[in-house]
């Protein structure tokens, strides 16, 4: 067993264990932390496949940004565990009825010859100094530039929609209304108060 | 050979003008109508660009993720025209209700951009991105009516179910990619032809069909339609029921007719099931509705079921018939929602079907136009809605599915009842005072008249549009 295979099994085992923990631990904060561990070990798997760009993006975006926000939300919400567990047995039978055929169907397809190893060729080893980030960038801005730009427009729409839906105040323009300024009369600005001599 | 950037000029222009609309909206004066005019003008400009650059032969650009062909050009023209109509109606509504809904126009423009992307998609990647751009803008537009609980419910349902459908679609696409090793539709087609009984491809196809079914709104993926149509503001519903349907047709044509045509035996079976159920559920449930928007929502479901029949024929003629159907439907549907938009007012925003009682007395011109639209929706000759049904049925019979055609006709007959009921309310019932204050501005009156006359015109000369559709399909879908 080469060193690479050992590392693979280490990361793969860690990914599976942490993913399993996400759904079984009682505390939601622990679940979120396990998910972070899961992302970390998946990033390790990407590195083994020489996809260093994806590995780093996974850590930066998911661990750094998404999961931190997730943790905020989980910690801010006061989650009542007893409330969640209530009715577990009641719905278990129904859930099993729904889930069992799904597992059966997906299992039939997934375990058939369509997912056999021989169908997929092994990843090609690149020479030392091969730049994965460079390759992705080149593909993204040549062959896939059209989908890439569409994705940018989707993000723009997301911003516009978020602002349009949350901005509650009536809009106030900062530019002066010239007509209103010119039509101001003396009486509207000055109030003369008769004080009387003392 | 056209330059790659030249091919996507209409889309680039629309994206740029969409940003311009956003900026205009920030800097315009509060009371001016500049946003609306900029947005409408943008659509006109882009429509002209699409017309100018109509190709004879399909052109593939950007690593063949984008395909410009006659089908996409024709669909884009109609998407832009129906979008323009929706803008005029929306402007009228917002003015009447004194609402400041300027984001409506920019979001609608981006949504239309998504539809254009979808119409020329030639890779599953662009299909998905176009769909997301289109839906994301629509979710926001539905949610825009923030003070209404109905709108919040509608937006929530639409968003959650839409996200679920997108996820399922994406899962299907990943399966197709796993089986075929490509996202390109032409390569997918050759792969699908080569191993036509590949279980994994069929597995992916099922999930992709769920996504398409959700976007078209056919049974059993129709649950969101009545609630979303009822909950959102009328101009949003109007927009929702016109142009996006054309885009959903484009998506179905690209994915099923082009990419997965090798699996047509499988998907036509599933579509038969969906089509018959849609026509049944849509037409029968519509009878029971008292809200006009809900009634039209179920009518949409029935019409989309009918549209699928053209796909089941799996011939170029069938695709062309469906294309004719979707174009005619989006024009008719727009007009039908516009009729509601004309009668509601801030004082009386009742949306019941009884609202149209005695409309012929208070506003004879509007009710005549509405009569044309309703008869056309019911599929009564000589209006365009009849020809749409006729072409689909003709293709269906030609491909040997007489029983399906008979079922379709029976359900259409059932459906005619609720359209004729509206006509009865308009012409044979007396006004109970609800409609005494109907006023319509000259501009929206013109748009409504043009809308109805277009249906009348297409009814007398259906061959013009149909031959264009057939030519487009034959030159683009090989």
């Amino acid at each position: 067993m080469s060193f690479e295979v050992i590392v693979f099994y280490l990361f793969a085992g860690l990914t599976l264990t942490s993913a399993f923990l996400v759904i079984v631990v009682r505390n939601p904060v622990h679940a979120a932390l396990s998910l972070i561990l899961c992302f970390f070990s998946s990033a390790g798997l990407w590195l083994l496949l020489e996809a260093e760009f994806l590995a780093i993006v996974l850590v930066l975006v998911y661990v750094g940004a998404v999961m931190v926000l997730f943790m905020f939300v989980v910690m801010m919400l006061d989650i009542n565990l007893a409330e969640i567990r209530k009715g577990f047995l009641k719905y278990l039978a129904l859930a099993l009825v729904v889930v069992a055929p799904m597992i059966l169907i997906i299992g039939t397809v997934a375990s058939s010859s369509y997912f056999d190893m021989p169908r997929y060729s092994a990843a090609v080893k690149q020479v030392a100094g091969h730049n994965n980030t460079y390759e992705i960038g080149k593909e993204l801005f040549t062959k896939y530039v059209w989908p890439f730009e569409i994705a940018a427009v989707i993000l723009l729409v997301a911003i516009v929609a978020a602002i349009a839906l949350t901005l509650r105040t009536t809009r106030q323009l900062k530019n002066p209304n010239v007509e209103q300024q010119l039509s101001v009369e003396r009486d509207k600005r000055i109030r003369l108060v008769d004080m009387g001599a003392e | 050979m056209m330059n790659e950037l030249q091919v996507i000029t209409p889309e680039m222009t629309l994206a740029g003008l969409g940003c311009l609309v956003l900026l205009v909206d920030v800097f315009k004066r509060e009371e001016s109508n500049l946003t609306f005019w900029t947005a409408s003008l943008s659509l006109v400009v882009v429509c002209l660009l699409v017309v100018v650059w109509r190709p004879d032969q399909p052109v593939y650009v950007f690593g063949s993720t984008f395909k410009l062909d006659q089908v996409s050009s024709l669909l884009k023209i109609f998407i832009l025209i129906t979008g323009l109509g929706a803008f005029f109606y929306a402007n009228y509504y917002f003015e009447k209700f004194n609402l400041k809904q300027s984001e409506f126009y920019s979001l609608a423009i981006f949504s239309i951009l998504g539809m254009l992307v979808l119409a020329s998609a030639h890779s599953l990647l662009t299909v998905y991105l176009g769909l997301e751009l289109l839906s994301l803008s629509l979710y926001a537009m539905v949610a825009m009516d923030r003070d209404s609980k109905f709108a919040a419910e509608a937006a929530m349902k639409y968003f959650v179910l839409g996200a679920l459908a997108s996820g399922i679609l994406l899962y299907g696409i990943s399966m197709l990619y796993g089986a075929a090793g490509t996202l390109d539709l032409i390569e997918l087609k050759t792969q699908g032809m080569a191993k036509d009984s590949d279980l994994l491809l069929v597995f992916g196809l099922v999930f992709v069909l769920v996504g398409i079914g959700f976007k078209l709104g056919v049974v059993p993926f129709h649950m969101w339609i009545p609630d979303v149509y009822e909950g959102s503001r009328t101009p949003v519903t109007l927009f929702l029921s016109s142009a996006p349907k054309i885009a959903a047709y484009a998506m179905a044509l690209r994915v099923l007719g082009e990419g997965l045509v090798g699996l047509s035996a499988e998907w036509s079976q599933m579509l038969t099931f969906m089509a018959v159920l849609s026509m049944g559920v849509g037409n029968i449930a519509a009878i029971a509705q008292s809200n006009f928007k809900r009634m039209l929502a179920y009518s949409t479901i029935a019409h989309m079921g009918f549209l699928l029949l053209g796909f089941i024929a799996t011939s170029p003629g069938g695709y062309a018939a469906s294309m004719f159907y979707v174009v005619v439907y989006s024009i008719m549907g727009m007009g039908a929602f516009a009729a509601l938009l004309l009668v509601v007012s801030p004082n009386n925003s009742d949306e019941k079907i009884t609202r149209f009682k005695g409309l012929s007395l208070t506003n004879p011109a509007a009710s005549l136009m509405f009569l044309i639209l309703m008869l056309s929706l019911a599929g009564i000759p000589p209006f365009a809605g009849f020809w749409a049904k006729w072409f689909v049925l003709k293709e269906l019979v030609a491909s040997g599915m007489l029983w399906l055609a008979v079922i379709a006709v029976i359900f259409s007959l059932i459906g005619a009842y609720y359209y004729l009921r509206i006509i009865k309310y308009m012409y044979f019932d007396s006004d109970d005072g609800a409609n005494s204050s109907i006023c319509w501005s000259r501009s929206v009156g013109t748009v409504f008249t043009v809308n109805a006359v277009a249906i009348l015109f297409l009814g007398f000369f259906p061959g013009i549009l149909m031959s264009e559709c057939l030519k487009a399909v034959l030159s683009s879908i090989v």
Side-chain angles (χ1 to χ4, degrees), chain B residues 52-106:
Chain B
V52 169
W53 273 304
R54 256 187 99 173
D56 297 323
Q57 290 298 319
V59 185
Y60 303 90
V61 289
F62 294 116
S64 77
T65 50
F66 185 95
K67 180 189 188 189
L68 182 67
D69 55 11
Q70 293 210 7
V71 167
S72 67
S73 293
L74 200 61
L75 289 175
K76 280 178 196 175
I77 291 169
F78 282 106
I79 287 170
L80 290 162
I81 290 175
T82 46
L84 187 65
F87 279 11
F88 272 96
Y89 289 130
N91 179 50
Y92 170 71
Y93 181 90
F94 292 145
E95 273 187 357
K96 184 152 81 171
F97 281 76
N98 199 17
L99 293 166
K100 291 196 184 65
Q101 289 277 308
S102 10
E103 290 87 6
F104 174 87
Y105 299 109
S106 39

Side-chain angles (χ1 to χ4, degrees), chain A residues 114 143 145 165 167-168 171, chain B residues 25 62 146-147 198-199:
Chain A
Y114 305 110
K143 194 177 168 194
V145 68
L165 292 179
L167 195 66
R168 267 285 172 190
R171 211 179 55 185
Chain B
D25 191 44
F62 294 116
R146 286 179 304 190
D147 299 323
D198 192 328
L199 187 62

Side-chain angles (χ1 to χ4, degrees), chain A residues 105-106 109 112 114-115 119-120 142-148 150-151 153-154 156-158 160-161 163-168 171 173 175 177 179, chain B residues 8 11 19 22 25-26 28-30 62 65-66 103 110 113 117 125-126 129 132-133 136-137 140 143-144 146-147 178-179 195 198-200 203:
Chain A
I105 294 167
I106 293 180
V109 176
S112 61
Y114 305 110
F115 285 102
R119 276 176 74 101
Y120 304 100
T142 53
K143 194 177 168 194
Y144 293 105
V145 68
W146 175 240
F148 183 72
I150 304 295
V153 179
I154 291 179
L156 176 67
V157 167
V160 173
I163 294 174
L165 292 179
T166 48
L167 195 66
R168 267 285 172 190
R171 211 179 55 185
L173 291 180
N175 51 342
N177 189 342
E179 285 161 39
Chain B
I8 59 158
E11 280 80 4
C19 298
L22 270 179
D25 191 44
V26 175
K28 77 175 172 89
R29 317 188 91 209
E30 194 87 14
F62 294 116
T65 50
F66 185 95
E103 290 87 6
F110 286 124
L113 178 63
V117 171
L125 195 61
T126 27
L129 286 171
E132 280 304 290
L133 181 54
L136 205 62
S137 321
M144 203 86 92
R146 286 179 304 190
D147 299 323
K195 32 183 181 177
D198 192 328
L199 187 62
L200 195 57
F203 189 68

Side-chain angles (χ1 to χ4, degrees), chain A residues 25-183:
Chain A
V25 290
R26 279 160 179 268
N27 191 327
V29 178
H30 293 173
L33 284 171
S34 314
L35 196 57
I36 291 179
L37 183 62
C38 182
F39 285 146
F40 259 120
S41 42
S42 316
L45 289 175
W46 284 120
L47 269 183
L48 278 180
L49 283 170
E50 301 181 352
E52 67 270 9
F53 179 72
L54 280 177
I56 291 169
V57 166
L58 191 66
V59 172
L60 283 183
V61 175
Y62 273 89
V63 178
V66 176
M67 284 317 292
V68 170
L69 279 179
F70 225 88
M71 293 289 278
F72 266 129
V73 175
V74 168
M75 285 178 177
M76 272 199 287
L77 293 177
D78 187 22
I79 298 170
N80 188 351
L81 285 176
E83 193 75 18
I84 295 173
R85 275 164 205 282
K86 213 164 64 181
F88 178 77
L89 284 176
K90 204 169 93 190
Y91 298 118
L92 185 66
L94 182 66
L96 282 180
V97 169
V98 175
V99 168
M102 255 175 82
I103 291 179
L104 206 68
I105 294 167
I106 293 180
T108 318
V109 176
S111 66
S112 61
S113 60
Y114 305 110
F115 285 102
D116 273 358
M117 276 298 151
R119 276 176 74 101
Y120 304 100
S121 49
V124 185
K125 288 273 168 222
Q126 305 289 352
V127 290
H130 175 79
N131 194 338
N132 178 257
T133 315
Y134 172 77
E135 291 292 327
I136 287 181
K138 215 170 74 180
E139 285 281 291
L140 218 51
F141 284 97
T142 53
K143 194 177 168 194
Y144 293 105
V145 68
W146 175 240
F148 183 72
E149 295 298 331
I150 304 295
V153 179
I154 291 179
L155 289 181
L156 176 67
V157 167
I159 298 171
V160 173
I163 294 174
L165 292 179
T166 48
L167 195 66
R168 267 285 172 190
T169 52
T170 51
R171 211 179 55 185
Q172 285 175 338
L173 291 180
K174 297 294 178 212
N175 51 342
N177 189 342
V178 181
E179 285 161 39
Q180 206 182 3
Q181 285 181 337
L182 288 178
S183 65

Side-chain angles (χ1 to χ4, degrees), chain B residues 138-158:
Chain B
L138 288 180
Y139 302 146
M141 282 162 75
V142 171
M144 203 86 92
D145 187 4
R146 286 179 304 190
D147 299 323
S148 156
K149 277 184 186 167
F150 286 112
E153 185 202 347
M156 203 63 201
K157 272 186 183 159
Y158 192 22

Side-chain angles (χ1 to χ4, degrees), chain B residues 60 67 121-124 127 176 180 182-196 201 205 208 212 250-264 267 311 319 476-478:
Chain B
Y60 303 90
K67 180 189 188 189
H122 192 255
S123 151
L124 290 175
V127 166
L176 291 182
T182 176
L183 289 171
D184 188 89
L185 288 178
I186 288 287
E187 282 177 40
L188 194 64
K189 182 178 165 184
T190 44
Q191 294 270 341
M193 289 287 197
K195 32 183 181 177
D196 53 345
L201 272 179
L205 168 73
V208 170
I212 294 174
M251 177 182 167
L253 182 69
R254 292 293 181 209
V255 176
L256 300 179
E258 242 180 321
L260 296 169
V261 75
L263 301 173
S264 60
W267 58 249
F311 279 92
Y319 300 143
S476 319
I477 314 288
V478 208

